[in-house]
Structure formats: C-alpha cells, structure tokens
Amino acid sequence: MSGTLKKIILAANLVTMVYNICLASAPASADFESEISAASAIVLSDDGQSLFEKNADERRLIASTTKLMTALVAIENSSGEQIIEIDPVCCGIEGTSMYLRPGDHYTVDELLCGLLLSSGNDAAEALAVGLCGSEDAFVAKMNDKARALGLENTSYRNPHGLDAEGHCSTARDLARLMLACMQNERFAALCGKREACIHEANYVNHNKLLSTLPGCLAGKTGYTRAAGRCLVSCCERDGLRLVCVTLSDPDDWNDHSRLYEQAFAAWERRVAVSTSERYEIALVAGLQRCAVAAPERELSLVLRRCEELRYVRELPLFAYAPVRAGEYAGRIVVIRGDETIDEIPLIYCLSVEKESE
C-alpha cells in the first residue's frame, strides 16, 4: 500500500479524545494583594507571563538597576579574565563606588563583582571605557542590546544609572532584561554572590534578599533621590523562576517578599505533556498487534495551582504495518481557556514490521 493511501486511511480513521477539565478563569491580579508601596511593579514568570503588575509600562528613572544592562553588555563583549587598566576618567564618580585608583589593573569579572555587588559607579565607567574606549561607545551597545531584546520603553544615557535626561525604563522592560540576564550563566554566578574579596577589599552584595528570601538567586538595587528606591530580583522555587521589579518603592524589600510569597502560593510550573506518556494503536498486518506512540517533546507550563487544561488527543483507530520509529502517529492539542497553547506531535516509539504473507 502506498504511503499516501496509508495517510488517507489513517486520517479517515482518526479518533479524537477530548478531556474537559475545570478551568480557572480569574485574572492573574486576583492572586495578589494590591496594596504595595511601589509606583510601578511587576512579577514576571520565566515564560514571560505577567502574574502581577502595577503601572508596569510607565517610564521612570531606574537608578543603578541600569547596571543589569551594563553587566550583560560587558559579559557579552569580554572574557572574565580580560585585564582592564583603570583610566583616571573612571575614578571619583559620585555615588556608590569600588574606590578604583588610576593605573590599577582589574579583571573584567572583578569589576563586574564591584558593579553588581556594591553597585560601583566607577566600576561601570571602567568597564565602559576599558571595553569600548569611551562611555558613549559602550552606551550605544547598551541601547543596541535593549532594541535586540525588544525593550521598547528603555533608553540609556550612561552605564551607571545616575539621573540623566532620557535615561529611563519600565518595570516590564527591567523584568524582561533580568530574565535575559539570568539565562547567562556568568551573570547569574556573579550576581548571586553574597560577597567577594578583590584586591584585599571585601565587597558585600547590597541585595539582602539573598539571605532573607528563600530561593532568591540574584538581584540589583538602585537609588537616587529622583528615582527613589528601585529593586530587581529573581527567585526560584520548585522549578518555577520568577522576576520581581519595583520602582520608586520605599518598602521594596517587604514588597518583593510579599509578592513572591503570594506568587509561589498561587502559581506553579507543571509538566502538561510528558514524553513518558504512552498510547497504543492497533496494527493491521503487523508482527505485533499494536504500535506504541509517545509525545515527541515535553511541554512545561506556568499555571495557577487550581488551574487545569483541556486536552484533545487525536489518534488513529488503527494503522497499517509497517510503521517506523519517529514517524508521525497523531497529536495532542493543549488548550487553556479558549486558547490553543501548543500542539505536540505523537510519534511511534518503535518500528514494527509487516507480517510476512
């Protein structure tokens, strides 16, 4: 029998199994208390879902949370052991500092520790000048990276975050940036350090959530009088990674802790389709009476704990031998509310030959 005819018969004998399960339909914001002090805030899951937001697209000053992009651009344009000689122009910058001295030599990763842990404005300038020759050239790379990440409401004017006209971002853009940063292993390792000893000086991470919030992986603080207290953090529990951003928030530590506790209580990462699932399909004229099919890939989703999905599993009533391992056998359609989330092919696990005549 030709392959085309087999496909026609398979389609004609396709049986659709629909599993209807109750579906929670409350908006994400219903999972949270709305009383937080931040002017802007968001909680974003690692698949990009907004679980909570407040004025998340309002452009604001972002202070030293700027250094998330500074770090990412520096990492992508250097090796950790690359040596930078400190230019005099990088020393004595106002605000928080590593207290760099002209002519000293630091590796890029040492400067990144000073940047991310103690928020050194001089470290930001040293990375910019040392890697690109000038602050302007480095800031151009920061803005290029923002565009590449789709951060439409973000604009940088310097690498350290001191207030400047046109230097701004939003809670949503910062959350998306933090998710991108945390995909970089070098960034995650550096930003998650609680302290580092560099040139006999000890630098302690300003992010106290690392020691007070279970599952906290990394974060970046920021403050200027005009921007207020700014905080970006990342926390992971039971396979679910979340990012929280608050801008102009006088109670940021407590707000982050509360938002995370509420988010993890209400949401979870769940395997919606597993490659361990098995489905038997009757075989005509095969050496075995049935063939076994399984999902081609796993599907993991971020869902409310009370939320279920609807599955449509499409399989043939029977198939004609021979069948080959890896060939298409059917599909699983995963539906959330009225939206199709994904379609997972079902493929044969093993080849089964046709019985001899």
Side-chain angles (χ1 to χ4, degrees):
M1 181 178 295
S2 71
T4 301
L5 184 56
K6 278 183 66 175
K7 291 178 181 178
I8 292 172
I9 294 174
L10 184 149
N13 290 283
L14 199 67
V15 60
T16 301
M17 296 172 283
V18 182
Y19 293 75
N20 290 297
I21 313 174
C22 66
L23 185 69
S25 58
S29 59
D31 300 315
F32 294 82
E33 300 171 7
S34 59
E35 295 301 320
I36 64 168
S37 302
S40 298
I42 195 168
V43 177
L44 205 65
S45 64
D46 55 7
D47 65 352
Q49 287 189 74
S50 174
L51 309 187
F52 170 88
E53 59 183 76
K54 175 184 177 182
N55 301 325
D57 295 309
E58 184 177 288
R59 292 185 181 183
R60 305 190 64 85
L61 295 170
I62 57 171
S64 285
T65 60
T66 296
K67 292 170 178 138
L68 295 171
M69 181 63 85
T70 305
L72 185 59
V73 170
I75 286 170
E76 291 183 347
N77 289 274
S78 71
S79 68
E81 298 306 312
Q82 182 175 338
I83 300 295
I84 289 179
E85 181 177 343
I86 305 304
D87 190 292
V89 74
C90 304
C91 302
I93 297 175
E94 66 176 289
T96 49
S97 181
M98 276 187 79
Y99 302 101
L100 300 175
R101 296 177 300 182
D104 282 352
H105 293 81
Y106 288 79
T107 68
V108 168
D109 276 1
E110 286 173 341
L111 290 173
L112 285 169
C113 282
L115 178 87
L116 293 170
L117 275 62
S118 58
S119 202
N121 292 338
D122 52 353
E125 197 71 18
L127 287 164
V129 173
L131 294 177
C132 291
S134 70
E135 179 185 277
D136 287 346
F138 188 87
V139 170
K141 286 186 177 291
M142 294 172 68
N143 284 311
D144 287 345
K145 186 63 178 181
R147 286 190 291 271
L149 292 174
L151 309 183
E152 298 178 355
N153 291 306
T154 295
S155 178
Y156 297 105
R157 296 292 181 269
N158 59 60
H160 40 65
L162 291 175
D163 299 333
E165 185 176 354
H167 188 100
C168 63
S169 188
T170 66
R172 191 184 312 278
D173 276 6
L174 281 169
R176 293 172 64 189
L177 171 60
M178 187 60 166
L179 287 176
C181 286
M182 291 301 292
Q183 291 175 358
N184 185 294
E185 292 183 2
R186 189 169 150 206
F187 174 93
L190 292 168
C191 198
K193 286 179 176 287
R194 296 193 182 188
E195 60 182 341
C197 185
I198 303 168
H199 291 209
E200 299 183 351
N202 197 51
Y203 299 92
V204 178
N205 201 319
H206 290 182
N207 175 22
K208 70 178 187 180
L209 292 178
L210 286 170
S211 58
T212 63
L213 179 69
C216 185
L217 300 175
K220 185 70 195 75
T221 59
Y223 174 80
T224 67
R225 183 170 297 185
R229 293 179 62 87
C230 303
L231 181 59
V232 180
S233 64
C234 180
C235 189
E236 183 173 323
R237 298 179 192 173
D238 298 324
L240 174 58
R241 178 172 292 188
L242 304 177
V243 163
C244 182
V245 178
T246 53
L247 300 177
S248 187
D249 185 357
D251 196 26
D252 51 5
W253 302 120
N254 288 326
D255 281 341
H256 276 239
S257 294
R258 282 192 293 265
L259 287 170
Y260 278 126
E261 293 305 327
Q262 293 168 40
F264 285 119
W267 295 76
E268 65 179 346
R269 176 165 291 284
R270 192 187 314 162
V271 175
V273 176
S274 171
T275 54
S276 64
E277 297 173 22
R278 294 292 183 266
Y279 301 93
E280 291 189 350
I281 301 168
L283 273 184
V284 175
L287 288 177
Q288 298 178 22
R289 297 182 59 184
C290 66
V292 177
E296 184 180 45
R297 55 184 169 82
E298 182 176 279
L299 176 63
S300 175
L301 296 172
V302 178
L303 301 166
R304 286 191 185 85
R305 293 186 181 275
C306 64
E307 185 174 7
E308 296 296 341
L309 302 168
R310 187 156 52 96
Y311 295 86
V312 178
R313 293 178 172 91
E314 298 177 349
L315 294 161
L317 287 170
F318 61 89
Y320 285 90
V323 298
R324 301 298 178 204
E327 285 184 341
Y328 179 85
R331 65 175 182 167
I332 300 176
V333 182
V334 184
I335 303 168
R336 185 183 193 182
D338 297 325
E339 178 186 4
T340 296
I341 298 296
D342 207 344
E343 297 181 5
I344 311 294
L346 294 169
I347 58 173
Y348 290 110
C349 298
L350 299 170
S351 299
V352 179
E353 300 297 332
K354 184 177 180 179
E355 63 184 0
S356 58
E357 297 181 358

